[in-house]
């Protein structure tokens, strides 16, 4: 037996971190961009929340289309987002 440790160890947490989105950073960036064009902070916060919700619905639409082996195109994704928006 040896005490040699493999040198190509992969940190699963680090790999997952590379692939995951940083929603807090996205929220801050969008809020700053809105502030730069003169949008009041309270209104910017609501706009950012709506944008991130729409972004989430778009992501979920593509996941649904892929899961059911349906054609993944913009029109189908938009229709699914419309359905999600009606239910909200």
């Amino acid at each position: 037996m040896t005490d040699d440790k493999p040198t190509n160890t992969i940190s699963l947490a680090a790999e997952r971190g590379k692939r995951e989105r940083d929603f807090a950073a996205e929220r801050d960036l969008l809020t700053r961009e809105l502030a730069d064009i003169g949008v009041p902070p309270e209104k910017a916060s609501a706009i950012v929340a709506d944008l991130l919700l729409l972004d989430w619905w778009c992501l979920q639409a593509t996941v649904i289309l892929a899961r059911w082996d349906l054609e993944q195109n913009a029109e189908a994704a938009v229709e699914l987002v419309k359905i999600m928006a009606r239910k909200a």
Side-chain angles (χ1 to χ4, degrees):
M1 299 206 23
T2 65
D3 289 339
D4 294 333
K5 292 186 179 182
T7 57
N8 58 350
T9 305
I10 298 172
S11 167
L12 295 178
E15 289 299 314
R16 185 174 49 247
K18 291 178 190 175
R19 291 181 177 87
E20 289 183 353
R21 292 172 59 182
D22 184 352
F23 288 101
E26 287 184 37
R27 180 182 307 278
D28 291 342
L29 176 64
L30 289 168
T31 303
R32 278 195 313 268
E33 288 177 351
L34 288 168
D36 289 347
I37 61 171
V39 177
E42 60 281 351
K43 191 169 184 176
S45 178
I47 291 169
V48 169
D50 288 345
L51 284 173
L52 291 175
L53 179 59
L54 284 169
D55 183 62
W56 175 252
W57 284 339
C58 290
L59 173 64
Q60 291 307 304
T62 60
V63 168
I64 290 167
L65 292 171
R67 183 178 302 144
W68 291 96
D69 281 336
L70 299 171
E71 184 178 347
Q72 296 183 39
N73 61 44
E75 184 177 351
V78 166
E79 292 304 317
L80 279 173
V81 169
K82 286 180 184 178
I83 291 168
M84 288 183 242
R86 276 186 283 197
K87 301 290 182 181

